[in-house]
Amino acid sequence: QVQLVESGGGLVQAGGSLTVSCVVSGTAFTFQTLGWYRQSPGKDREIVAGISGGGTTDYVDSVKGRFTISRDNSKKMLYLQMNNVQPEDTAVYYCNGATLRPLRSAPYGASWGQGTQVTVSS
């Protein structure tokens, strides 16, 4: 069973930076396309970035140029570096499976971690 554990969230001022991390276990990490998702209160969960096993990346327009997704296959870690964050980036951030071209949600069944809260103050 896939296990996903997100961490690194917190409170950050608008214009600041934050990096969130995810540990993935129970799957062949190196070959998996993974993504970062977020969910704001009252909204559906949305995918914001994805990365293939080989390092190809894709982003939704709202974060393009500000967020960078990366991975460390040796550590089975996924990262999302968020720069120039804005109040609208406030959400709980999750990692899970994804597809690229186009960027789409492809979670591992019903497996979701607890997420990590990112709050951006104006």
Side-chain angles (χ1 to χ4, degrees):
Q1 184 177 355
V2 176
Q3 292 188 322
L4 308 152
V5 180
E6 301 90 353
S7 63
L11 176 64
V12 59
Q13 289 188 330
S17 299
L18 191 68
T19 298
V20 292
S21 305
C22 172
V23 180
V24 183
S25 60
T27 186
F29 182 90
T30 302
F31 304 104
Q32 301 297 311
T33 295
L34 299 167
W36 279 100
Y37 299 71
R38 67 185 180 188
Q39 187 169 23
S40 305
K43 295 186 178 180
D44 292 335
R45 185 154 40 200
E46 63 169 345
I47 188 166
V48 296
I51 185 168
S52 71
T56 300
T57 60
D58 201 3
Y59 304 88
V60 295
D61 287 345
S62 59
V63 308
K64 201 170 290 184
R66 300 188 299 121
F67 290 10
T68 302
I69 188 172
S70 63
R71 64 193 295 160
D72 184 332
N73 288 340
S74 66
K75 297 180 179 179
K76 297 188 176 182
M77 293 286 295
L78 184 71
Y79 305 98
L80 185 69
Q81 180 180 348
M82 300 181 286
N83 295 328
N84 189 25
V85 294
Q86 300 299 315
E88 54 266 32
D89 297 319
T90 295
V92 179
Y93 283 74
Y94 303 87
C95 62
N96 215 312
T99 61
L100 299 185
R101 299 179 180 176
L103 178 63
R104 284 186 179 165
S105 171
Y108 297 110
S111 298
W112 289 94
Q114 82 288 349
T116 188
Q117 175 72 49
V118 173
T119 303
V120 183
S121 62
S122 57

